[in-house]
């Protein structure tokens, strides 16, 4: 911590810290809305499919009400996304001027998916009383496809920043000879996209289910609330173990492709094997204090063996180390901890439902 404060003060004098904070705040707000834009239409269609297939009036009512929420969240997400597009040019003009020809490809494609999604959301909502049953259901499928395509496009841009390729650097420092396929399908895209896509379904599923869980805790245990809880919760609970598997692959790819980032979020200071996994703690003075340390686990997770050598921060220049190591480390631990807790919640729910064929009755 003692080394982080001077670095942050130095950053603030050049407006870098302010730019990072503003971008981080906007992204933190927008990403939740983006998750709903990607996953909520699919959950909505599951409810409608059940309603059409089983002539279930409650499921159709859920789908109809959820479609209105999808439209509102999409509109708000469009506003926050527009703010982000301005911030890219205003806060990072040097990067956009120099690398925009490659970095901007994904955002251009995302714009096409955005308008496609907007069109079919309008068709879907307008068509509730105007399209025949299954025709209305199929009118929602392009919304799901557009959500997936939009997410893939944005993640392609983000992953390109981690593993840039598909261009040549000219004598003036600008990029030339951009290869679109190489830019979009960069090495990090293969693990970043499924990780984000599954995260969207987890965020949306558990959040929507929590609304009906609160209603059930208040005594509304009718079929409408039970179904409103079961559909999104089941989707999220089923995908959570898949997400943990994908996340493990993603962390290992970071270990291979971006060793300084891996060393930073695991707080590995000295290169070597048999590296301990630190749960929690404060990264300061070249050590991790007040952490629960499990010897050898970090090396085991990185390379399936405790003899795996993990590069530490001692291998990189000080100016290439990420700032605020403690915040980075604790954020990563929090992500893994929440994912593990949701996995256990899903397992508990699944076992109880399998044994009793009913939603658990306890709060």
């Amino acid at each position: 911590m003692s080394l982080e404060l001077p670095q942050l003060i130095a950053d603030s004098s050049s407006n870098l810290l302010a730019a990072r904070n503003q971008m981080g705040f906007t992204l933190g707000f927008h990403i939740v809305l983006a998750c709903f834009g990607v996953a909520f239409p699919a959950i909505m269609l599951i409810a409608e499919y059940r309603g059409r297939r089983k002539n279930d009036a409650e499921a159709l009512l859920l789908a109809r009400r959820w479609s209105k929420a999808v439209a509102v969240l999409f509109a708000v997400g469009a506003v926050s996304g527009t703010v982000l597009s301005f911030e890219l040019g205003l806060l990072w003009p040097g990067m956009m001027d120099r690398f925009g020809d490659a970095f901007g490809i994904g955002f251009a494609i995302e714009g096409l998916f955005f308008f496609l999604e907007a069109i079919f959301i309008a068709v879907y909502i307008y068509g509730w009383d105007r399209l025949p049953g299954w025709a209305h259901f199929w009118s929602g499928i392009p919304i799901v496809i557009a959500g997936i395509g939009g997410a893939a496009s944005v993640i392609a841009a983000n992953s390109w920043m981690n593993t840039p390729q598909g261009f040549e650097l000219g004598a003036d420092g600008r990029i030339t000879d951009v290869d679109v396929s190489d830019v979009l399908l960069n090495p990090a895209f293969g693990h970043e996209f499924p990780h984000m896509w599954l995260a969207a379904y987890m965020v949306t599923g558990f959040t929507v289910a929590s609304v009906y869980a609160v209603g059930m805790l208040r005594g509304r245990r009718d079929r409408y609330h039970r179904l409103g809880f079961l559909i999104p919760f089941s989707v999220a609970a089923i995908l959570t173990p898949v997400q943990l598997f994908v996340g493990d692959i993603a962390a290992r790819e970071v270990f291979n492709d971006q060793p300084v980032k891996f060393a930073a979020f695991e707080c590995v200071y000295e290169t070597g094997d048999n590296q301990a996994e630190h749960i929690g703690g404060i990264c300061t003075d070249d050590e991790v204090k007040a952490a629960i340390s499990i010897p050898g686990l970090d090396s085991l997770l990185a390379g399936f063996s405790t003899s795996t050598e993990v590069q530490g921060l001692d291998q990189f220049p000080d100016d290439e180390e990420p700032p605020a190591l403690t915040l980075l480390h604790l954020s990563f631990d929090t992500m893994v901890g929440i994912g593990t807790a949701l996995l256990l919640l899903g397992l508990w729910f699944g076992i109880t439902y399998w044994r009793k064929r009913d939603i658990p009755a306890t709060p």
Side-chain angles (χ1 to χ4, degrees), residues 40-41 43-45 47-48 59-75 120-128 136 140 143 212:
F40 207 179
I43 295 174
M44 171 187 72
L45 285 181
E48 183 176 1
L60 286 174
L61 180 59
L62 278 170
R64 188 162 192 158
R65 290 180 175 175
W66 284 349
S67 67
K68 297 175 182 178
V70 165
V72 172
L73 291 169
F74 179 82
F120 279 95
I121 286 176
V123 171
Y124 187 84
I125 293 177
Y126 186 76
W128 269 110
H136 181 265
I143 305 175
Y212 295 90

Side-chain angles (χ1 to χ4, degrees), residues 205-282:
F206 285 122
T207 302
V208 174
S210 71
V211 174
Y212 295 90
V214 170
M216 293 173 69
L217 286 173
R218 294 178 176 176
R220 302 171 189 169
R221 300 189 68 88
D222 52 88
R223 189 172 182 278
Y224 175 83
H225 281 79
R226 289 165 60 86
L227 202 59
F229 173 84
L230 270 173
I231 292 174
F233 188 93
S234 298
V235 170
I238 290 170
L239 293 179
T240 297
V242 183
Q243 172 69 309
L244 264 66
F245 174 74
V246 172
D248 179 67
I249 294 175
R252 198 167 295 110
E253 290 299 320
V254 172
F255 166 74
N256 292 322
D257 296 335
Q258 302 176 79
V260 65
K261 181 186 291 187
F262 187 85
F265 67 60
E266 293 287 13
C267 275
V268 178
Y269 283 102
E270 296 184 6
T271 302
D273 58 7
N274 199 36
Q275 295 282 359
E277 178 72 22
H278 304 295
I279 301 174
I282 299 173

Side-chain angles (χ1 to χ4, degrees), residues 68-325:
K68 297 175 182 178
V70 165
V72 172
L73 291 169
F74 179 82
V76 179
V79 174
S80 61
T82 302
V83 173
L84 277 172
S85 67
F86 278 105
E87 287 182 347
L88 283 171
L90 293 172
L91 300 178
W92 316 104
M95 184 189 78
M96 297 304 296
D97 179 54
R98 187 176 180 186
F99 298 104
D101 287 349
F103 181 67
I105 292 173
F107 289 107
I109 297 174
E110 192 274 339
L112 300 177
F113 283 114
F114 170 83
F115 285 111
L116 181 66
E117 188 173 1
I119 290 168
F120 279 95
I121 286 176
V123 171
Y124 187 84
I125 293 177
Y126 186 76
W128 269 110
D129 297 320
R130 296 169 178 82
L131 292 174
W134 284 107
H136 181 265
F137 169 82
W138 287 107
S139 73
I141 297 298
I143 305 175
V144 178
I145 296 173
I148 295 172
S153 303
V154 174
I155 293 302
N158 179 267
S159 59
W160 179 85
M161 290 196 296
N162 292 319
T163 52
Q165 66 170 29
F167 64 92
E168 298 291 336
L169 245 128
D172 59 353
R174 296 175 179 274
I175 62 172
T176 60
D177 300 326
V178 176
D179 187 314
V180 174
S181 61
D182 279 354
V183 168
L184 296 176
L185 301 177
N186 58 81
F189 176 80
H191 61 83
E192 282 195 25
F193 170 64
H195 193 49
M196 183 64 237
W197 183 71
L198 291 167
Y201 278 80
M202 287 179 63
V203 168
T204 305
F206 285 122
T207 302
V208 174
S210 71
V211 174
Y212 295 90
V214 170
M216 293 173 69
L217 286 173
R218 294 178 176 176
R220 302 171 189 169
R221 300 189 68 88
D222 52 88
R223 189 172 182 278
Y224 175 83
H225 281 79
R226 289 165 60 86
L227 202 59
F229 173 84
L230 270 173
I231 292 174
F233 188 93
S234 298
V235 170
I238 290 170
L239 293 179
T240 297
V242 183
Q243 172 69 309
L244 264 66
F245 174 74
V246 172
D248 179 67
I249 294 175
R252 198 167 295 110
E253 290 299 320
V254 172
F255 166 74
N256 292 322
D257 296 335
Q258 302 176 79
V260 65
K261 181 186 291 187
F262 187 85
F265 67 60
E266 293 287 13
C267 275
V268 178
Y269 283 102
E270 296 184 6
T271 302
D273 58 7
N274 199 36
Q275 295 282 359
E277 178 72 22
H278 304 295
I279 301 174
I282 299 173
C283 308
T284 180
D285 300 329
D286 293 342
E287 62 177 321
V288 186
K289 299 179 179 179
I292 300 173
S293 299
I294 305 174
L297 182 58
D298 191 44
S299 292
L300 181 65
L301 293 174
F304 302 108
S305 171
T306 56
S307 62
T308 300
E309 181 179 276
V310 179
Q311 292 188 60
L313 294 172
D314 59 345
Q315 296 294 307
F316 307 98
D318 292 343
D319 60 353
E320 292 184 10
E321 294 180 8
L325 291 180

